[in-house]
Amino acid sequence: MADLATAVPVISSTRSLTERSPKRNSSQAGVWIFALALLSGLAYIGVHVAKDLDSVTVTSIWPYLLLGLALVIALGFEFVNGFHDTANAVATVIYTNSLAPNIAVVWSGLCNLAGVLFSSGTVAFAIITLLPVELILKVSSGAGFSMIFALLIAAILWNLGTWWFGLPASSSHTMVGSIIGVGLANQFMNPNSGSSGVDWQQAIKVFKVLLVSPLLGFTLAALLIFVSKRLIKFPSLYEAPTNHQPPPWPIRALLLLTCSGVSFSHGSNDGQKGMGLIMLILIGTVPTAYALNHAVSPMEVQSFIAASEQAGHILDQHVNPEVALDPDARAEVTKYIQTKQFQPDTLLAVGLLVKEVNHEVVGYKSFKSVPARDQANVRNDMYLTGAALRQMEQAHNPAFSAAETAVLKNYENKLDKSTKYIPNWVKVAVALALGLGTMVGWKRIVITVGERIGKQHLSYAQGASAEVVAMVTIFAANMWGLPVSTTHILSSGVAGTMAANGSGLHLSTVRNIAAGWVFTLPAAALLSGALYFLFHTFF
């Protein structure tokens, strides 16, 4: 790491940024606006948490202490995430003096909040599917909490280390690496128990996106700046910032627009990374309030019952009548998800689980009416059923017709709505943590993006091009529910514009960013695996 410190002299660069824009750094308006947003957000969170926990019978203070500790760590990850990814979103508007730093951070935070609130949650639960299934189902156990603490603390430590050296590292890479480390450690610690490790099929899909997106960012940003210089004849657009003067208003409006787009898309994708883990924490500590989605209406419950009856009928048609089922259907389905080996008993076990879930929902009539002692079990049955159906469809075993697949997909969507949901207060908490992190750590990343990637300072056109590419790429990833790195897309986009502009690249900085890109995943995996082993021993 010593070479990173020499390659990215962040202390002197940060001082030069402060000297270049003293008037804007002294602005207090942004601080007051953010303070108001923070207080409003905390009040909103407090009211809704109190409402959620109103129906919970308090028998011990321990779960609430554990809940508080876990949430602090989870939001701490999002806080550190703000150092990196959200700081990249504001880098161009701050570096080009288009907005004062405090105002830029507040504006970016509001756009992040909007992105988080409008997000579907698919990215959050795509991250969760990488985790070992038995740890997800037993998240309230010691092993479950060891998993959550290990992967979050590992991600925080690595992100803090890379931020300290002003290196735009990827929180996406870090989180995926931490999850892989926990999965491998879980498998190595239980070699003969049938424990699952990493869902490599899902992991490879995530790897491909994380691999391709920086290359795409570099190429598209280079192409965009190349085309812009030939089509847009506006000389000021291709100049670098001077002193502390803001750019002409058309350029300023353009950079504000691109910053808003990157911040919104970042919230809709990257802001989800911690939300799925926060939901696991809530389910593990207070399942009565969070294991099932209590916002599902009675009409939707009736629709769920009808969909489950249709799904059960389809599965019955494909069952071999001569199959003798093992008595424990849940164990059979869990084994199938872990091993991905379709056995003669598998289909019948899934069908029985569908009927069991339907029987429970019919009996209780609403998710709120499910007794506290059964909330976690009903949720686990739903999770197992949905995971098994998706796995069977992907493997085409058995081969369902197009009409049957549509019915099963509809049922899966209803299962997901019942279990894979994110309360709005969680989204607000994540957005606030991202904003706070950005306010604390923006300077180091802004300097790296603005001055240390290219041999010439970042021009207005280069910043806008990199942000447009980042925004479009992230929105495309959202369509497939896959996590991408705002950091890698934006920094590679800046490098692409420098190359296309003939500005030259600081190879030492590019080399260190690439090294962070290569080593983040294995380093985070090793750290989280070691922490999981340590925590599991004590828990």
Side-chain angles (χ1 to χ4, degrees):
M1 283 293 186
D3 62 328
L4 300 185
T6 56
V8 187
V10 294
I11 302 300
S12 60
S13 297
T14 299
R15 189 178 295 115
S16 68
L17 176 68
T18 305
E19 290 171 356
R20 195 174 71 236
S21 53
K23 293 181 181 179
R24 294 193 175 277
N25 277 333
S26 64
S27 171
Q28 296 298 313
V31 175
W32 287 108
I33 294 172
F34 190 84
L36 179 61
L38 179 63
L39 291 174
S40 301
L42 291 175
Y44 177 87
I45 293 167
V47 169
H48 283 79
V49 170
K51 182 179 178 181
D52 289 344
L53 299 181
D54 185 53
S55 60
V56 179
T57 302
V58 178
T59 57
S60 170
I61 197 65
W62 170 245
Y64 296 97
L65 293 176
L66 196 59
L67 171 64
L69 176 62
L71 285 178
V72 165
I73 295 175
L75 292 174
F77 165 75
E78 296 295 350
F79 176 79
V80 176
N81 189 4
F83 291 179
H84 288 283
D85 291 31
T86 315
N88 279 277
V90 299
T92 55
V93 290
I94 293 177
Y95 186 79
T96 59
N97 304 306
S98 297
L99 283 178
N102 292 332
I103 298 293
V105 168
V106 172
W107 178 250
S108 177
L110 293 174
C111 293
N112 264 282
L113 174 59
V116 171
L117 290 176
F118 283 99
S119 64
S120 62
T122 54
V123 174
F125 293 105
I127 290 286
I128 295 300
T129 57
L130 294 173
L131 293 167
V133 63
E134 66 269 12
L135 294 184
I136 296 176
L137 297 177
K138 299 177 181 178
V139 69
S140 59
S141 67
F145 278 103
S146 298
M147 167 191 73
I148 292 172
F149 288 146
L151 65 90
L152 285 173
I153 292 174
I156 289 171
L157 291 176
W158 182 257
N159 277 349
L160 279 175
T162 53
W163 166 81
W164 178 255
F165 293 102
L167 192 66
S170 166
S171 296
S172 301
H173 257 123
T174 306
M175 178 59 73
V176 172
S178 296
I179 290 175
I180 288 175
V182 167
L184 291 176
N186 181 64
Q187 196 167 26
F188 291 152
M189 290 168 63
N190 304 281
N192 301 315
S193 65
S195 295
S196 60
V198 179
D199 184 345
W200 289 111
Q201 185 176 5
Q202 177 71 10
I204 290 172
K205 188 164 62 171
V206 172
F207 289 158
K208 288 179 179 178
V209 175
L210 291 175
L211 174 66
V212 171
S213 55
L215 303 177
L216 198 64
F218 183 95
T219 304
L220 292 181
L223 182 62
L224 184 57
I225 194 71
F226 180 82
V227 173
S228 297
K229 291 181 71 173
R230 281 151 182 79
L231 297 181
I232 304 175
K233 304 301 181 181
F234 192 64
S236 298
L237 183 62
Y238 306 100
E239 297 175 356
T242 56
N243 298 322
H244 59 271
Q245 296 300 318
W249 71 263
I251 298 175
R252 199 173 183 183
L254 172 64
L255 291 169
L256 179 59
L257 181 64
T258 58
C259 169
S260 303
V262 173
S263 299
F264 181 88
S265 60
H266 173 267
S268 66
N269 186 287
D270 205 274
Q272 296 188 51
K273 291 184 179 72
M275 292 194 294
L277 295 173
I278 290 175
M279 287 310 300
L280 285 183
I281 293 168
L282 295 173
I283 292 166
T285 50
V286 278
T288 304
Y290 298 108
L292 296 172
N293 186 0
H294 293 173
V296 174
S297 67
M299 184 178 297
E300 290 172 318
V301 170
Q302 293 304 313
S303 178
F304 176 92
I305 293 170
S308 78
E309 290 174 351
Q310 291 174 337
H313 178 67
I314 288 173
L315 296 175
D316 286 344
Q317 290 180 325
H318 288 269
V319 170
N320 185 345
E322 298 179 359
V323 170
L325 179 69
D326 185 283
D328 193 344
R330 292 179 183 85
E332 182 68 30
V333 175
T334 303
K335 182 180 177 182
Y336 168 62
I337 295 171
Q338 291 174 332
T339 63
K340 295 182 170 58
Q341 299 296 317
F342 189 84
Q343 302 295 332
D345 287 346
T346 301
L347 189 60
L348 185 53
V350 174
L352 287 176
L353 208 53
V354 169
K355 293 174 183 176
E356 177 63 24
V357 168
N358 187 47
H359 175 74
E360 290 167 338
V361 175
V362 168
Y364 297 126
K365 295 184 175 60
S366 73
F367 295 148
K368 266 189 174 182
S369 302
V370 178
R373 65 181 183 277
D374 295 331
Q375 290 263 354
N377 289 334
V378 173
R379 181 244 175 201
N380 286 348
D381 286 348
M382 290 182 172
Y383 184 90
L384 279 174
T385 303
L389 288 173
R390 273 184 289 274
Q391 195 162 289
M392 286 193 299
E393 289 167 14
Q394 292 170 359
H396 303 289
N397 195 356
F400 297 111
S401 68
E404 290 173 334
T405 300
V407 171
L408 294 176
K409 281 287 186 186
N410 178 53
Y411 179 55
E412 289 169 30
N413 291 336
K414 295 186 182 301
L415 286 170
D416 287 347
K417 185 171 184 179
S418 304
T419 58
K420 296 181 179 180
Y421 72 102
I422 300 172
N424 283 335
W425 72 261
V426 172
K427 297 180 179 182
V428 171
V430 167
L432 289 176
L434 285 170
L436 278 172
T438 309
M439 290 195 75
V440 172
W442 61 267
K443 289 184 181 179
R444 292 176 183 269
I445 301 301
V446 167
I447 285 296
T448 299
V449 170
E451 298 180 3
R452 297 297 169 183
I453 295 178
K455 291 184 178 179
Q456 297 180 12
H457 289 191
L458 186 76
S459 71
Y460 305 124
Q462 289 173 318
S465 298
E467 289 203 320
V468 166
V469 168
M471 175 176 58
V472 172
T473 305
I474 296 169
F475 275 129
N478 286 344
M479 294 175 61
W480 285 283
L482 293 171
V484 290
S485 169
T486 304
T487 300
H488 283 159
I489 297 172
L490 190 62
S491 57
S492 64
V494 171
T497 64
M498 292 291 178
N501 201 42
S503 304
L505 294 170
H506 278 297
L507 295 182
S508 59
T509 303
V510 174
R511 180 196 66 206
N512 289 324
I513 291 175
W517 183 78
V518 171
F519 290 113
T520 286
L521 196 144
L526 183 63
L527 184 57
S528 68
L531 287 174
Y532 177 72
F533 176 80
L534 181 65
F535 293 157
H536 191 275
T537 301
F538 284 101
F539 276 113

